[in-house]
Amino acid sequence: MELNFPELDGPVAQRGIGIIAPFDLALERELWRWAPLEVSLHLARTPYEPVPVSLEMAELVSDAAHLTAATRNVLHVEPEVIAYLCTSGSFIKGLAYERSLRDTICRAGARDAVTTSGALIEAVHTLGLRRLSVITPYDEILTGKLHDFLREAGCEVLRSDHLGLGGGIWKVGYRTIAERIMAADDPDAEAIFVSCTNLPTYDLVAPLEELLGKPVLTANQLTMWACLGRMKLPMMGPGKWLQNVF
């Protein structure tokens, strides 16, 4: 008897992205919403550290030994690119440090590497941005490090807001996030950057871009955009300024 079911020709050929996430990431489901059907995400986490979200935590989760181990944990499934999915961990010590994190991941065996803050700079350059508004869930010290990072990359932060959270960032509701984004907007800002891969933003991007008339760039969005761009694949979901520009 001959089998004649089209689905037996599948599954769709899988293309992988490796994700190195901080131990407290709770938004895996948001990442999948940016990905095309043929893309699979393979996650590894940094070791648990009993500290609140802070400069100390950002330093701990970006430790080179942790990134090396996490990279090797996903190599067997042959990802085309590996992303370090942490904004603060990749901006705390400037542009050279961000590059060193990508170098560490590649030395551990990755074909290509992305960091969230590196993806931010790629988007800034791609869109020709020079003036930003910023919102973060962090404390003032960590938020200041983001300002320093952007300044080094040639971007002026015109207005900034931070939530001052030491944990539970993924529990913040959309209403609160939307209100803080709108409050952080400056009329002269060319875009708004919403930091932290653990802050939920997916469903806010399109309506806020429509309302504010400018790009609303978020950490998970930019990370997936940079990874998919290297794979010559389109980014799914909202973010009209970033569609088809890689």
Side-chain angles (χ1 to χ4, degrees):
M1 181 181 296
E2 183 180 356
L3 292 174
N4 191 25
F5 301 111
E7 57 267 28
L8 294 180
D9 294 331
V12 173
Q14 178 174 293
R15 301 180 66 179
I17 297 175
I19 302 288
I20 301 172
F23 63 88
D24 65 339
L25 179 73
L27 291 184
E28 288 94 331
R29 64 177 182 171
E30 184 166 289
L31 298 175
W32 282 95
R33 297 176 74 184
W34 301 105
L37 176 64
E38 64 266 39
V39 170
S40 189
L41 307 180
H42 310 289
L43 269 75
R45 291 175 180 265
T46 62
Y48 169 69
E49 305 284 359
V51 296
V53 177
S54 60
L55 179 59
E56 180 186 8
M57 178 177 165
E59 291 174 341
L60 289 169
V61 298
S62 61
D63 178 82
H66 296 338
L67 297 190
T68 297
T71 298
R72 290 173 178 164
N73 283 341
V74 296
L75 284 180
H76 188 71
V77 291
E78 301 177 354
E80 295 180 40
V81 58
I82 294 180
Y84 175 47
L85 189 82
C86 183
T87 324
S88 60
S90 52
F91 69 58
I92 51 170
K93 297 179 183 178
L95 297 178
Y97 184 70
E98 186 278 327
R99 287 192 294 270
S100 77
L101 299 179
R102 287 185 278 127
D103 290 343
T104 294
I105 293 168
C106 288
R107 281 197 301 272
R111 295 191 220 173
D112 203 347
V114 165
T115 75
T116 301
S117 295
L120 168 60
I121 300 307
E122 290 179 21
V124 161
H125 291 161
T126 297
L127 299 177
L129 304 175
R130 289 295 177 265
R131 299 183 302 278
L132 298 178
S133 288
V134 167
I135 175 174
T136 87
Y138 317 131
D139 60 20
E140 184 175 358
I141 293 172
L142 201 50
T143 301
K145 292 291 185 182
L146 174 57
H147 294 183
D148 294 342
F149 181 80
L150 287 167
R151 190 178 303 113
E152 185 183 354
C155 278
E156 181 183 2
V157 177
L158 298 184
R159 188 176 296 176
S160 179
D161 191 13
H162 59 279
L163 302 180
L165 299 178
I169 292 171
W170 71 92
K171 300 176 184 178
V172 181
Y174 273 163
R175 179 175 296 276
T176 297
I177 299 168
E179 289 173 350
R180 300 298 281 264
I181 290 172
M182 292 174 64
D185 182 36
D186 186 287
D188 293 326
E190 299 163 325
I192 301 171
F193 174 57
V194 187
S195 191
C196 190
T197 56
N198 224 6
L199 190 69
T201 57
Y202 184 94
D203 296 299
L204 296 177
V205 173
L208 285 175
E209 286 190 335
E210 187 68 26
L211 180 65
L212 299 173
K214 64 184 66 176
V216 175
L217 307 174
T218 73
N220 287 331
Q221 172 206 49
L222 293 177
T223 308
M224 293 300 294
W225 169 76
C227 289
L228 293 168
R230 284 159 171 76
M231 299 165 73
K232 308 301 182 188
L233 291 173
M235 182 181 72
M236 301 292 100
K240 64 181 182 180
W241 272 273
L242 288 174
Q243 299 291 353
N244 303 316
V245 297
F246 223 110

